[in-house]
Amino acid sequence: MLSIYKNIGITIILILFISVAGLAQMLEFKNVEKIELVTDRALYVSGETIWYTAYYSMSEDSPKELSSILYVELFDNDLKLVTSQKVEICDGLVSGKILITEQSITGYYILRAYTRYQENFPVSKMTSLVISIVNPTHPLPGIK
């Protein structure tokens, strides 16, 4: 009878040890890449071009280069993807442009930049900018 309790106790201790070790590994998994996204301005009229620059850097204790491609996406008010691009990172710098279509409706849009490595983290950890787009032919949407 004592050996049964001993086996159950050892099993519980092993399960706890494995869970704590797994949790410790999850806590060590951190985002070592940093992206700073800058646009030429924050207000656009439909039909204009969004010019952006992104600065890519890594923490000092990380491997030399983790990512070589930056993904840039533009989302509308309802978080629907409007357009996306893949741009090569050269010497920690990315420059590009996104053409706003004439049919874009008036509202707030989100410009997001990330690497494949950063997809391992929540969307809230990705670099995002809020920009405004005005279409003179469409009225302002109502406040929700």
Side-chain angles (χ1 to χ4, degrees):
M1 190 62 132
L2 185 60
S3 65
I4 292 174
Y5 289 125
K6 187 177 178 183
N7 288 340
I8 291 173
I10 291 173
T11 304
I12 291 173
I13 290 173
L14 282 175
I15 290 172
L16 288 173
F17 179 74
I18 291 170
S19 336
V20 169
L23 182 61
Q25 283 182 345
M26 286 175 50
L27 292 176
E28 289 179 20
F29 189 64
K30 62 180 183 173
N31 189 357
V32 295
E33 294 180 326
K34 182 180 179 192
I35 297 171
E36 184 179 340
L37 185 62
V38 180
T39 58
D40 59 330
R41 56 184 191 255
L43 177 64
Y44 298 90
V45 176
S46 59
E48 290 186 324
T49 301
I50 301 171
W51 292 93
Y52 65 86
T53 301
Y55 302 97
Y56 172 83
S57 61
M58 295 187 55
S59 61
E60 294 181 18
D61 61 342
S62 61
K64 179 88 172 139
E65 249 186 61
L66 211 56
S67 301
S68 61
I69 301 291
L70 184 72
Y71 298 87
V72 181
E73 299 175 335
L74 183 66
F75 295 90
D76 66 6
N77 271 346
D78 300 322
L79 295 179
K80 292 180 186 167
L81 183 64
V82 175
T83 186
S84 64
Q85 296 179 344
K86 289 190 326 186
V87 188
E88 185 178 3
I89 300 170
C90 295
D91 296 326
L93 184 66
V94 174
S95 293
K97 63 180 180 176
I98 296 176
L99 180 63
I100 303 168
T101 63
E102 293 282 339
Q103 296 79 23
S104 296
I105 62 170
T106 301
Y108 295 107
Y109 288 72
I110 297 173
L111 186 64
R112 181 181 298 152
Y114 62 92
T115 63
R116 280 285 179 222
Y117 174 75
Q118 290 179 330
E119 286 184 329
N120 294 311
F121 301 97
V123 174
S124 61
K125 300 291 183 186
M126 294 180 186
T127 302
S128 300
L129 289 177
V130 176
I131 59 171
S132 301
I133 297 176
V134 176
N135 187 334
T137 61
H138 287 86
L140 288 170
I143 298 174
K144 297 179 184 178

